[in-house]
Amino acid sequence: MSRSSSKAKKANGNNGATLGFEQTLWLAADKLRNNMDAAEYKHIVLGLIFLKYVSDAFEEKHAALKQDKGADPEDPDEYKAENIFWVPKEARWSHLRANAKQPTIGKIIDDAMDAIERDNRSLKGVLPKDYNRPGLDKTRLGELIDLIGTISMGDAEHRSKDILGRVYEYFLAQFASAEGKKGGQFYTPRCVVRVLVEMLAPYSGRVYDPCCGSGGMFVQSIKFIESHRTGNGNGGNAKAALSIYGQESNHTTWRLAKMNLAIRGIDANLGAENVSSFTHDLHQDLKADFVLANPPFNDSDWSGERLRDDARWRFGAPPAGNANFAWVQHFIHHLAPNGFAGFVLSNGSMSSNQSGEGEIRKKIVEADLVDCMVAMPGQLFYSTQIPVCLWFLARNKRNSHFRDRRGETLFIDARQMGVLIDRVHRELTDEEIVRIAGTYHAWRGDKGAGKYADLPGFCKSAKLKEVAAHGFVLTPGRYVGAEAALDDGEPFEEKMKRLAATLREQQADAVKLDAVIAAHLKELAYGD
């Protein structure tokens, strides 16, 4: 395997695909879509996948209880005690499969969703219930049930491998790609989330995302903990000691987040309603240890005029036509005294001086809150080709757990990283994610992270005075400089003689070629 193909394969893993059964299942399901819009089809498929998962987990426990003479397999409390959703008879996958070819299958599925919501309060108002609509081909719906029924998802063995999580995440990514901008509103590419999580290292505490989309930040935070079970920060704990808080204004996306977290057994406080974090902050008193977010880029419809005098705008009122610095200040407002924030913004946030944005950014820098800036490569998102950057804020750079970095900001230029996974989409490889995060941890002085050093073209630790000299523009390229040229060992004088001789040869060849072209033109009666 070539180095480039190997890198591409590792990058594909970052997005939830293993190019195995997930892709096979997607291709088969996509064939059944016919002329249905991806945005509509998404909820049909993901709802059925969720139903298969809860049914699998239930059936495994049900079989175990039937073997226990002292237990009642039809007692809902037996399941809820072990964090397994109770699935009434009319909602079990065996019932759906037996009726998959019936013309009433749409109503049967809707009734199943209603029954699960009725008996599991945490799912109230979450599951899709529109399978019986006239425009949905019931034959294809039955075929979809047969297809999803081929994969075991919710039993203990497959839960340990996160089979459903992999399928769910891969399908979210594929739907985001199919939908374009509309899909990208709720799906942040996995490699981008991984960079944020690996850099912030949320081992324990309160994690907050006020624009949580489908919940990817939370899922990756839990995965981070699980991948560090042997220690290295979390004391070897097998479970994440995290309290999760989120909010999402889009009802459809809020439902996706609830399902995405439920299939992984992640308990999260996403609020009981889908409203804007700006106008209806559901976690007003929260002070989070970690803020992870990918807010809508350059959002002009955020009720800015109504909130001109809001207490959150400590560094200046954000422009009504762009919510970027409203989000930044919202994040700061919710940070605990030793909290960290990592979030995605468009590149314009690093340099814009429009409508007072430059002055707000200056005040944030002068308050010594900007810990690190990362310039990301293009083509990472399904929804936009706008180049993006990652901001990392720290409320207390004198935190006793890290090196004292007061008055300094780390700049990382990762624009040349990533591999193309198709003609228009790029992903970061595992090695690149480790390099970016490792550089940040070394700079902070994290235990075992190694020694930090500036590297031209990639990273630079800049003093506040230098940032001020650049007009408080935070674009990493201004600070890291150009990558040092590799020394090939050839003395300068010898190299210049060789290059000059090569140039003269090429010039002589050019003269000969010009003569040949002129002769041919003359033969064609186009010469002088």
Side-chain angles (χ1 to χ4, degrees):
M1 180 184 292
S2 69
R3 184 169 180 268
S4 60
S5 62
S6 176
K7 285 180 73 178
K9 187 174 182 180
K10 289 182 179 180
N12 280 334
N14 285 337
N15 206 31
T18 58
L19 299 186
F21 77 92
E22 300 101 320
Q23 186 188 53
T24 302
L25 182 62
W26 163 259
L27 291 174
D30 199 41
K31 284 182 181 178
L32 297 176
R33 178 154 65 103
N34 201 7
N35 296 321
M36 189 180 297
D37 184 78
E40 183 183 14
Y41 188 59
K42 170 179 64 202
H43 301 292
I44 294 170
V45 174
L46 295 179
L48 287 175
I49 288 175
F50 181 84
L51 205 57
K52 178 65 163 66
Y53 167 80
V54 296
S55 187
D56 279 2
F58 170 86
E59 293 289 0
E60 183 183 50
K61 181 64 178 174
H62 190 271
L65 290 172
K66 286 177 71 174
Q67 300 299 316
D68 186 346
K69 293 183 179 179
D72 179 4
E74 293 299 323
D75 180 1
D77 290 337
E78 294 277 8
Y79 301 86
K80 294 174 183 178
E82 295 190 25
N83 253 353
I84 295 174
F85 291 110
W86 163 256
V87 182
K89 289 183 178 180
E90 66 268 33
R92 295 171 193 174
W93 194 261
S94 56
H95 178 64
L96 300 186
R97 188 178 59 223
N99 289 279
K101 301 297 187 290
Q102 299 298 320
T104 56
I105 185 60
K107 184 177 186 306
I108 291 171
I109 296 173
D110 283 346
D111 290 344
M113 296 294 188
D114 277 327
I116 289 178
E117 285 195 354
R118 180 194 67 217
D119 293 344
N120 299 274
R121 285 187 186 176
S122 64
L123 297 176
K124 187 68 176 174
V126 171
L127 304 183
K129 295 178 285 291
D130 197 19
Y131 291 87
N132 197 36
R133 63 185 184 275
L136 182 58
D137 187 326
K138 302 306 183 291
T139 300
R140 290 182 181 273
L141 182 57
E143 291 173 352
L144 192 59
I145 290 173
D146 289 339
L147 176 65
I148 293 173
T150 62
I151 296 182
S152 295
M153 298 184 185
D155 58 279
E157 178 187 353
H158 292 96
R159 285 202 305 273
S160 69
K161 297 176 182 177
D162 195 23
I163 295 295
L164 179 63
R166 286 162 57 189
V167 171
Y168 207 87
E169 191 168 3
Y170 185 57
F171 272 46
L172 279 173
Q174 295 298 91
F175 278 123
S177 182
E179 291 177 75
K181 183 177 180 180
K182 189 172 184 180
Q185 288 176 350
F186 67 85
Y187 187 80
T188 307
R190 189 182 183 194
C191 65
V192 176
V193 181
R194 279 194 59 202
V195 173
L196 289 169
V197 172
E198 291 288 338
M199 290 180 73
L200 289 186
Y203 286 108
S204 63
R206 299 171 297 272
V207 176
Y208 175 53
D209 183 350
C211 42
C212 67
S214 56
M217 300 290 181
F218 303 137
V219 171
Q220 288 301 319
S221 294
I222 300 297
K223 285 186 176 180
F224 174 85
I225 291 288
E226 292 173 344
S227 68
H228 291 78
R229 285 179 177 173
T230 56
N232 192 26
N234 72 328
N237 293 327
K239 289 191 71 176
L242 295 177
S243 299
I244 291 174
Y245 300 85
Q247 188 166 338
E248 172 55 47
S249 62
N250 182 290
H251 179 64
T252 302
T253 308
W254 177 82
R255 285 164 50 190
L256 283 175
K258 295 279 281 188
M259 286 192 287
N260 196 18
L261 296 174
I263 61 177
R264 292 177 164 94
I266 299 174
D267 187 24
N269 181 349
L270 302 188
E273 53 186 330
N274 46 284
V275 289
S276 165
S277 294
F278 291 135
T279 58
H280 298 85
D281 189 351
L282 299 180
H283 306 288
Q284 287 187 29
D285 299 325
L286 174 67
K287 295 300 179 184
D289 300 293
F290 303 97
V291 172
L292 285 143
N294 173 27
F297 299 156
N298 308 317
D299 187 8
S300 60
D301 185 21
W302 67 280
S303 304
E305 287 294 350
R306 292 170 50 196
L307 300 169
R308 300 305 293 169
D309 299 319
D310 196 284
R312 287 170 289 186
W313 316 149
R314 178 179 152 199
F315 302 98
N322 192 316
N324 285 348
F325 282 94
W327 283 116
V328 175
Q329 294 187 85
H330 181 82
F331 301 150
I332 295 171
H333 175 76
H334 278 288
L335 274 183
N338 289 316
F340 290 90
F343 49 90
V344 187
L345 282 181
S346 66
N347 276 3
S349 65
M350 298 188 290
S351 59
S352 171
N353 288 312
Q354 293 182 348
S355 305
E357 288 183 325
E359 189 61 28
I360 296 174
R361 185 175 58 250
K362 174 186 175 183
K363 290 178 180 178
I364 292 172
V365 173
E366 289 178 331
D368 206 15
L369 291 169
V370 183
D371 210 34
C372 179
M373 298 295 302
V374 181
M376 298 291 277
Q379 299 177 283
L380 292 174
F381 281 75
Y382 299 105
S383 54
T384 179
Q385 294 304 309
I386 295 175
V388 302
C389 59
L390 305 183
W391 287 60
F392 292 89
L393 307 180
R395 282 296 294 266
N396 180 15
K397 291 186 183 180
R398 200 183 180 184
N399 191 320
S400 60
H401 296 291
F402 310 110
R403 180 176 295 134
D404 189 346
R405 286 291 187 181
R406 284 178 294 174
E408 293 181 70
T409 295
L410 175 65
F411 292 91
I412 297 176
D413 192 343
R415 289 176 297 172
Q416 301 306 312
M417 288 186 169
V419 294
L420 286 172
I421 58 169
D422 57 41
R423 290 185 301 170
V424 293
H425 295 131
R426 183 178 298 274
E427 289 185 354
L428 295 171
T429 65
D430 292 340
E431 292 83 358
E432 289 169 334
I433 293 171
V434 168
R435 185 186 180 197
I436 294 169
T439 300
Y440 179 53
H441 291 299
W443 179 81
R444 288 201 313 188
D446 290 350
K447 185 178 179 181
K451 187 177 180 181
Y452 172 81
D454 290 343
L455 183 62
F458 179 64
C459 61
K460 169 70 183 294
S461 181
K463 300 283 188 182
L464 179 58
K465 185 186 298 184
E466 186 177 353
V467 177
H470 281 283
F472 297 94
V473 169
L474 299 177
T475 308
R478 290 202 175 201
Y479 301 91
V480 303
E483 184 177 0
L486 292 175
D487 184 0
D488 58 8
E490 184 178 9
F492 178 77
E493 291 295 333
E494 293 181 13
K495 180 179 289 187
M496 284 304 298
K497 287 180 181 178
R498 177 175 59 79
L499 293 175
T502 300
L503 178 61
R504 285 192 291 271
E505 289 176 8
Q506 292 173 342
Q507 288 174 328
D509 289 341
V511 170
K512 292 176 183 177
L513 185 59
D514 286 343
V516 171
I517 293 173
H520 284 307
L521 288 173
K522 190 172 183 179
E523 289 177 6
L524 297 170
Y526 289 103
D528 293 336

